[in-house]
Amino acid sequence: MKQTESLIFEKSSPGRRCFVFPACDVPVKPITDLLPQNVLRKDDAELPEVSEIDVVRHFTRLSQKNYCVDTNFYPLGSCTMKYNPRTNEETARLEGFTKVHPYQLTEQCQGTLKVLYDLEQMLKNICGMSAFTLQPAAGAHAELTGMLIIRAYMEKKGEKRHKILIPDSAHGTNPASAALCGYEVESIRSGRNGLIDVKRLREVFTHDTAAIMITNPNTLGLFEKDILEICRIVHDCGGLVYCDGANMNALLGIARPGDMGIDILHLNLHKTFSTPHGGGGPGAGPVGVTEELQCFLPVPRVEMIDSTSGGDTEKEIQKKYIFNDNYPDSIGKVRAFYGHIGMMIRTYTYLLSLGREGVCKVGKYAILNANYLQHKLKKYYHIPYDKTCMHEFVLSATKQKKKGASALDIAKGLLDYGFHAPTIYFPLIVEEAIMIEPTETESRETLDAFVDAMIQIAASIEQRPEVVKGSPKTTPIGRPDETKAAREPNVKWSKK
Ligand SMILES: *Cc1c(COP(=O)(O)O)cnc(C)c1O
């Protein structure tokens, strides 16, 4: 049932209150005597006058309109909207973590530092990198950190390289981060198979190029099978290979970027490592590097001093964790204090609860689920790069568009079936793109229900495309103007 919720201001009734204080039994002093004249309001604040139950019902109803991973399937390609286990939340809320103050002495927060130190070791193991910083606040911020490291490395070697090479299938943040760091961005066209054209790479990667920024698996959900050759070409030319590992979901427990020859890698803890995200919530984008690039990592770095002493029988374990700022070549700090520690604790919990065995299954199930969906939908939608995919795949609604309903209409149509819309019109190299990422946390029943909805939408486009074009019908708001809210924001309520 479509349920509209009025603004809380519209529920207002003069004089109505949430609670009433007992009469004051001490002398009352007017506020004008207590505050300086210049901070006092000229007019009374226009607050809603409502009862307690009005407030409770209003906000509870609004919260129930929220679509989230906890309510249903969320196949948003490239965003890895997987289920986030509740244990992660329990540990991140432990008082021992939440009540540590950033200015506290390190002796007093050894437990927190140990978690950060151990998490870095785990990520090193999982990715095959030599060291990580956990500081960056999100994927894009991690990319900028990586670019700063590349610049520092080239400067130290006395090399003037002003270009970064980026495939045309890259996430939009990649060219933005390179440009923000002062680099000129050169795009390299993908081959017809959706992968980097190695022959072309050999021609365009020259001595004025500092690095190539690649995503593997790429945004088409395909694994760059020539990665070893790509790394060789770049390294032979004195360049570095940056890997956008926001989509590490597909590789978990199967392959390690470090073993492929990647020099710098970033992860999105808020995607692959199961910490809630979306709606602009906090993220964390650790950056891993090779041995050679370690000295450029942001400071401080979390380190362990092991001064375990005594004989075998009376071993006194003395492991001390410290913040080390003493790296003269470091690019400096990239985030206040040590970044979003709550996200790191969630990741640490997630990895410990899965264990080595569990982590090794993540990638396999993510790939299985994506291929299952791709296979089931193949008959109904065009698949421009029809191959075994990794954790996600891209459909094209060109067939449906000819009948009169676009990728956008299909995405809106899914809302009426109770599903979140997939990512659409990305990657840019696919016309009418619909990018689907199921993640490893979904059951076969959920995937089948999604397939049924997609098939029914395709069928209804064949017969009556106008029905799909008119969707969604069941959501509180149908189709808002897509740009009006951004171009003419109206955030002020007025009685008129
Ligand atoms: C999500 C994503 C990013 C950006 O990460 P943010 O945390 O949103 O800044 C970069 N690259 C890829 C491939 C992504 O999927």
Side-chain angles (χ1 to χ4, degrees):
M1 187 187 69
K2 202 157 172 158
Q3 184 194 43
T4 50
E5 184 71 30
S6 57
L7 298 177
I8 188 134
F9 293 98
E10 289 161 358
K11 296 188 169 80
S12 183
S13 171
R16 194 170 284 168
R17 290 287 177 271
C18 272
F19 45 80
V20 183
F21 288 114
C24 200
D25 58 358
V26 291
V28 176
K29 243 188 179 182
I31 192 110
T32 42
D33 290 358
L34 297 168
L35 292 174
Q37 204 56 37
N38 63 340
V39 301
L40 291 176
R41 283 181 182 280
K42 286 184 193 65
D43 305 307
D44 282 345
E46 288 183 34
L47 297 176
E49 297 179 86
V50 284
S51 70
E52 185 170 329
I53 190 72
D54 289 340
V55 175
V56 169
R57 286 187 181 152
H58 177 74
F59 287 105
T60 303
R61 279 198 298 255
L62 282 183
S63 76
Q64 286 168 344
K65 290 189 199 300
N66 198 11
Y67 191 99
C68 53
V69 180
D70 289 349
T71 51
N72 211 345
F73 185 43
Y74 213 126
L76 201 58
S78 196
C79 292
T80 316
M81 302 302 283
K82 61 163 98 169
Y83 171 68
N84 309 298
R86 288 302 181 273
T87 25
N88 302 355
E89 299 303 314
E90 297 271 329
T91 51
R93 283 167 173 71
L94 289 175
E95 285 202 346
F97 294 123
T98 56
K99 295 215 166 146
V100 170
H101 192 277
Y103 281 134
Q104 224 162 316
L105 299 172
T106 52
E107 289 80 41
Q108 297 167 340
C109 36
Q110 287 291 295
T112 303
L113 291 189
K114 178 179 161 49
V115 168
L116 303 183
Y117 180 84
D118 287 352
L119 177 59
E120 185 187 339
Q121 309 315 308
M122 290 179 193
L123 296 180
K124 277 158 60 176
N125 265 330
I126 289 170
C127 302
M129 305 306 291
S130 292
F132 266 92
T133 174
L134 306 175
Q135 256 185 60
H141 191 206
E143 291 165 23
L144 177 64
T145 304
M147 290 298 113
L148 290 169
I149 290 172
I150 291 171
R151 201 174 70 183
Y153 167 80
M154 290 298 173
E155 267 168 18
K156 175 122 194 186
K157 281 214 313 188
E159 294 205 24
K160 284 197 172 44
R161 295 179 182 237
H162 62 273
K163 273 199 307 202
I164 300 281
L165 199 62
I166 305 178
D168 57 3
S169 62
H171 196 271
T173 49
N174 288 191
S177 304
L180 204 58
C181 197
Y183 281 111
E184 193 182 302
V185 175
E186 191 174 308
S187 175
I188 173 168
R189 220 173 338 108
S190 308
R192 219 173 302 163
N193 55 1
L195 302 175
I196 291 174
D197 181 345
V198 175
K199 226 175 93 204
R200 216 179 130 65
L201 175 67
R202 225 178 254 120
E203 288 159 17
V204 295
F205 201 100
T206 51
H207 286 275
D208 56 5
T209 314
I212 184 169
M213 227 178 158
I214 53 178
T215 305
N216 199 12
N218 66 22
T219 55
L220 293 166
L222 303 176
F223 187 79
E224 294 286 355
K225 61 179 176 46
D226 298 317
I227 187 68
L228 297 178
E229 183 64 13
I230 292 167
C231 290
R232 206 172 304 127
I233 293 168
V234 171
H235 290 152
D236 283 351
C237 199
L240 294 172
V241 182
Y242 182 97
C243 181
D244 177 336
N247 294 327
M248 187 69 193
N249 221 36
L251 302 185
L252 268 195
I254 302 173
R256 307 196 311 166
D259 299 339
M260 298 174 200
I262 304 297
D263 299 291
I264 308 184
L265 166 83
H266 90 254
L267 302 171
N268 277 13
L269 297 189
H270 48 294
K271 289 181 182 167
T272 312
F273 297 95
S274 150
T275 50
H277 63 116
V287 174
V289 294
T290 56
E291 181 87 44
E292 201 183 4
L293 297 173
Q294 276 202 45
C295 59
F296 303 106
L297 282 176
V299 283
R301 290 180 54 192
V302 181
E303 289 171 4
M304 182 183 70
I305 300 165
D306 190 353
S307 55
T308 303
S309 58
D312 274 349
T313 44
E314 272 178 62
K315 220 173 196 174
E316 199 169 332
I317 298 171
Q318 275 181 342
K319 285 183 177 158
K320 206 176 130 194
Y321 299 89
I322 56 157
F323 275 133
N324 191 348
D325 280 292
N326 191 18
Y327 287 93
D329 287 331
S330 163
I331 60 165
K333 236 173 168 356
V334 296
R335 188 75 189 143
F337 304 112
Y338 196 70
H340 297 162
I341 288 180
M343 312 301 276
M344 300 164 202
I345 297 165
R346 287 175 176 89
T347 300
Y348 182 73
T349 311
Y350 174 69
L351 288 174
L352 283 185
S353 49
L354 282 185
R356 183 182 291 266
E357 226 175 83
V359 171
C360 288
K361 283 183 188 159
V362 170
K364 288 178 187 156
Y365 285 134
I367 293 170
L368 180 66
N369 279 358
N371 279 285
Y372 181 74
L373 283 187
Q374 179 176 246
H375 184 76
K376 290 263 179 180
L377 293 173
K378 206 175 254 194
K379 263 200 278 175
Y380 308 91
Y381 294 87
H382 173 54
I383 299 193
Y385 300 94
D386 187 4
K387 278 194 244 181
T388 302
C389 64
M390 299 293 283
H391 62 302
E392 66 191 358
F393 61 99
V394 182
L395 302 174
S396 169
T398 41
K399 247 196 313 195
Q400 285 74 20
K401 175 95 191 221
K402 282 195 197 107
K403 298 271 175 190
S406 63
L408 175 71
D409 298 323
I410 295 166
K412 297 287 187 190
L414 278 167
L415 306 184
D416 279 337
Y417 288 87
F419 293 109
H420 194 280
T423 299
I424 50 173
Y425 300 108
F426 180 78
L428 303 175
I429 55 174
V430 173
E431 228 183 298
E432 293 297 316
I434 301 179
M435 188 193 212
I436 297 171
E437 178 179 10
T439 84
E440 75 284 1
T441 57
E442 298 300 334
S443 68
R444 179 162 171 191
E445 287 76 8
T446 303
L447 299 181
D448 284 339
F450 177 73
V451 166
D452 285 347
M454 286 292 284
I455 292 173
Q456 283 182 45
I457 290 171
S460 98
I461 292 171
E462 289 291 323
Q463 287 140 24
R464 295 177 59 204
E466 68 280 3
V467 173
V468 179
K469 283 192 86 66
S471 56
K473 292 233 175 340
T474 55
T475 51
I477 291 175
R479 289 211 195 186
D481 186 309
E482 280 158 58
T483 50
K484 196 173 159 106
R487 299 209 174 130
E488 300 164 39
N490 177 7
V491 290
K492 206 171 170 187
W493 176 79
S494 109
K495 262 185 200 160
K496 280 150 257 161

